[in-house]
Amino acid sequence: SQQGEEDPQALSIQEGENATMNCSYKTSINNLQWYRQNSGRGLVHLILIRSNEREKHSGRLRVTLDTSKKSSSLLITASRAADTASYFCATDAGRRALTFGSGTRLQVQP
Amino acid sequence: DTAVSQTPKYLVTQMGNDKSIKCEQNLGHDTMYWYKQDSKKFLKIMFSYNNKELIINETVPNRFSPKSPDKAHLNLHINSLELGDSAVYFCASSQVGLGNTEAFFGQGTRLTVV
């Protein structure tokens, strides 16, 4: 079954605006990760947040985790055209493999 | 200096054929994976190997057989290809056990069965 589900499925914004994507999951986790996938390419790891953490920052990225609601959000501030990609959340639930959501397609208009 | 490399990048083949996809990682990781991404971009784990030992084998037809000759390589062989096997297949690796299971992905192999 699908562990994570991202919301929205697609998001279109203007350059300079902030983009927020949400992820919900179903089981207890060790950590939650966000990945980016550019069209026709592999996934690239962006940020990892552990189950005992509530917020993490990396450059223009801010991730929050609410384990009571089994949800996470990824905020990209001051977006750029180069941020156009699909973004996936992935959960590590101790199965020794990540379980991915269905992704949010972000389009940043220049 | 590609960390995870898989070949070929594109594979077009007829139904019923047998094909292989190769994957190599030079990161010294102990765990490798095969994921399948369907047309809706949903990524699903197929197999996971840790130090050449199969540890995850999801509900995948037995036409799919992974082979790990050493911990740096994980190949995927597919017998009797079907139209529904068309997808993008990603190899990945990670170092499990350090509390940080960040995965590194290859560029993907787009398999088209005609």
Side-chain angles (χ1 to χ4, degrees):
Chain A
S1 64
Q2 189 171 332
Q3 167 73 320
E5 293 190 15
E6 283 90 340
D7 168 52
Q9 289 189 339
L11 180 61
S12 182
I13 59 174
Q14 296 294 124
E15 230 175 4
E17 293 181 339
N18 295 342
T20 299
M21 289 159 263
N22 302 298
C23 168
S24 60
Y25 58 92
K26 297 174 183 172
T27 65
S28 297
I29 60 171
N30 295 327
N31 64 65
L32 183 142
Q33 304 177 33
W34 285 90
Y35 287 78
R36 183 186 73 225
Q37 183 181 31
N38 289 85
S39 181
R41 307 295 294 269
L43 282 79
V44 175
H45 179 262
L46 294 176
I47 194 165
L48 179 153
I49 186 165
R50 292 191 168 80
S51 59
N52 61 354
E53 297 175 313
R54 291 296 166 258
E55 188 170 313
K56 203 157 182 182
H57 297 253
S58 176
R60 294 185 296 113
L61 304 180
R62 172 178 170 254
V63 169
T64 62
L65 179 64
D66 186 335
T67 52
S68 66
K69 294 181 180 177
K70 291 187 168 59
S71 67
S72 173
S73 68
L74 170 68
L75 168 67
I76 304 174
T77 60
S79 63
R80 306 166 182 168
D83 295 329
T84 294
S86 291
Y87 292 81
F88 293 85
C89 71
T91 51
D92 169 17
R95 293 182 62 237
R96 308 198 77 176
L98 294 173
T99 303
F100 285 82
S102 50
T104 292
R105 290 185 304 282
L106 173 65
Q107 177 76 40
V108 181
Q109 308 284 354
Chain B
D1 280 4
T2 306
V4 181
S5 60
Q6 54 182 109
T7 55
K9 188 169 182 180
Y10 300 98
L11 186 53
V12 181
T13 187
Q14 291 188 324
M15 280 175 57
N17 283 351
D18 302 340
K19 290 293 178 186
S20 291
I21 307 172
K22 295 187 176 183
C23 180
E24 176 182 3
Q25 55 97 0
N26 62 5
L27 297 165
H29 288 162
D30 61 2
T31 304
M32 296 184 71
Y33 314 85
W34 279 108
Y35 282 86
K36 179 180 179 180
Q37 186 173 43
D38 63 23
S39 58
K40 295 184 179 179
K41 302 294 186 185
F42 179 54
L43 269 159
K44 186 171 180 183
I45 182 72
M46 298 174 69
F47 301 104
S48 171
Y49 268 75
N50 178 260
N51 281 321
K52 303 194 301 174
E53 182 182 343
L54 180 66
I55 55 172
I56 290 179
N57 182 352
E58 291 293 289
T59 308
V60 176
N62 56 15
R63 299 181 294 103
F64 290 79
S65 54
K67 290 268 190 317
S68 182
D70 55 61
K71 74 173 194 176
H73 295 83
L74 181 61
N75 304 322
L76 183 65
H77 188 74
I78 316 170
N79 288 328
S80 304
L81 279 155
E82 300 177 357
L83 292 176
D85 297 332
S86 296
V88 182
Y89 292 84
F90 285 99
C91 177
S93 73
S94 69
Q95 186 65 26
V96 176
L98 297 178
N100 177 358
T101 51
E102 170 190 350
F104 291 77
F105 281 78
Q107 297 277 46
T109 295
R110 182 174 293 276
L111 171 65
T112 304
V113 183
V114 298

